[in-house]
Amino acid sequence: MSGDEDTHNSVSGGRQQGGVTQAHTVNNLWVDLSKAAPSKPGTWLLVLEVLGLVLAALYWPGGPLSQYSVFGLLCTAALVTAGFSVVIGRPDPSRGAAQSAEAEPVDAAQQQDREKKGNRRKRVARVTFPVLSLLFSLAGLLAFQDVADTGEVPIEILIDGAQPLNGPRPAPLTLEVPAPEEPREKLRLSLTTVDSEPSTGTCVHKSTATVTAVTAGITPHEYEVAAEETVDFDLGGNKGELQFTFTLRTEANCSMRLAKATGTLHN
């Protein structure tokens, strides 16, 4: 009778030990997979975000850098969160070393419960950071597209006419704005008039000018401007070539020159 009991206990113990071994194997496999897999989304996000920045640099619309501040902040946030995703997704070698150093085996249920509690926060972070990085990337793309569609764009102003401008009634100059590749609703025009012969004394404070829109539909029709001034025109839907005249008024003994004319398209 005792022999049968010993045989029964031996078989039961073997089954129990085999079940514990199988549970250890399955749990360790799950832990290894959960450590290895999450690093891939962060790595791919980093690669795609860097590629997106390269494309943005190639198709940069131009204009003042201040209008790209939101885009820059969103890109930085996207790269940082993707970097955190990569770091968190890496396996932790110190953990495996600590487990192998334990002298006594731990019950499978207790070990599984410990693993779940220890990894729950890390798994949440592994999901949260890639999602945040993706959201920041999409928001950055929208911010860049908004600047590309509505942001300020510098444009060339061509000055046509004889200079210097001498006396009280010189011939007007023509300011030509080529048809822009990226049309906008308004044109900011900056003009600078200087002395043609500075050695003979200055006439800047004695000189004024009138800038008149030749192209139909532009408002206001004209501006009275000082020697250095910036004016804003509403283009009235014009998307082609624009033309203005610049008429200077100065004293008879003054010789002036329109030294600079710069334009900025904006909405």
Side-chain angles (χ1 to χ4, degrees):
M1 185 71 178
S2 61
D4 293 339
E5 291 179 354
D6 290 343
T7 302
H8 177 72
N9 291 337
S10 175
V11 171
S12 299
R15 289 176 181 173
Q16 183 177 3
Q17 185 175 2
V20 171
T21 303
Q22 290 177 359
H24 271 293
T25 303
V26 172
N27 185 66
N28 289 337
L29 179 60
W30 167 254
V31 170
D32 291 341
L33 289 175
S34 67
K35 287 178 179 178
S39 63
K40 293 182 179 179
T43 303
W44 278 110
L45 280 171
L46 271 178
V47 171
L48 292 175
E49 287 163 5
V50 171
L51 180 61
L53 288 175
V54 172
L55 291 176
L58 292 176
Y59 295 97
W60 200 258
L65 292 178
S66 58
Q67 65 185 346
Y68 298 96
S69 57
V70 174
F71 168 71
L73 289 174
L74 290 171
C75 286
T76 302
L79 291 171
V80 169
T81 48
F84 276 132
S85 175
V86 172
V87 172
I88 290 174
R90 295 176 59 188
D92 187 2
S94 61
R95 183 164 188 165
Q99 288 180 349
S100 63
E102 292 180 355
E104 298 180 359
V106 182
D107 182 77
Q110 293 179 353
Q111 182 176 353
Q112 188 174 7
D113 185 61
R114 182 186 302 175
E115 290 288 345
K116 287 182 178 179
K117 290 181 179 179
N119 290 337
R120 186 178 297 117
R121 188 174 300 175
K122 193 170 183 179
R123 288 174 183 170
V124 169
R126 285 172 175 173
V127 174
T128 301
F129 281 118
V131 170
L132 285 176
S133 181
L134 181 60
L135 292 176
F136 284 133
S137 298
L138 293 176
L141 176 62
L142 293 176
F144 183 82
Q145 190 62 45
D146 180 67
V147 175
D149 292 339
T150 64
E152 296 186 354
V153 179
I155 192 165
E156 183 183 12
I157 306 293
L158 304 177
I159 303 174
D160 185 24
Q163 297 203 72
L165 306 172
N166 299 314
R169 293 180 181 271
L173 300 176
T174 300
L175 307 180
E176 296 180 355
V177 183
E181 295 181 2
E182 301 172 25
R184 296 290 187 268
E185 297 176 4
K186 297 181 180 180
L187 171 66
R188 186 182 304 122
L189 193 59
S190 299
L191 305 168
T192 303
T193 307
V194 298
D195 296 294
S196 181
E197 298 292 340
S199 59
T200 61
T202 181
C203 290
V204 169
H205 62 288
K206 304 174 185 178
S207 303
T208 58
T210 302
V211 180
T212 306
V214 177
T215 304
I218 297 177
T219 56
H221 177 64
E222 66 179 25
Y223 271 111
E224 297 290 329
V225 296
E228 186 169 3
E229 193 167 341
T230 298
V231 293
D232 222 337
F233 290 95
D234 189 320
L235 301 181
N238 282 292
K239 297 181 179 180
E241 182 178 322
L242 308 174
Q243 195 173 82
F244 301 84
T245 58
F246 176 87
T247 305
L248 183 74
R249 292 184 299 276
T250 189
E251 294 188 353
N253 59 343
C254 291
S255 180
M256 309 298 294
R257 179 180 296 276
L258 180 58
K260 185 171 66 173
T262 59
T264 302
L265 294 172
H266 67 101
N267 284 346

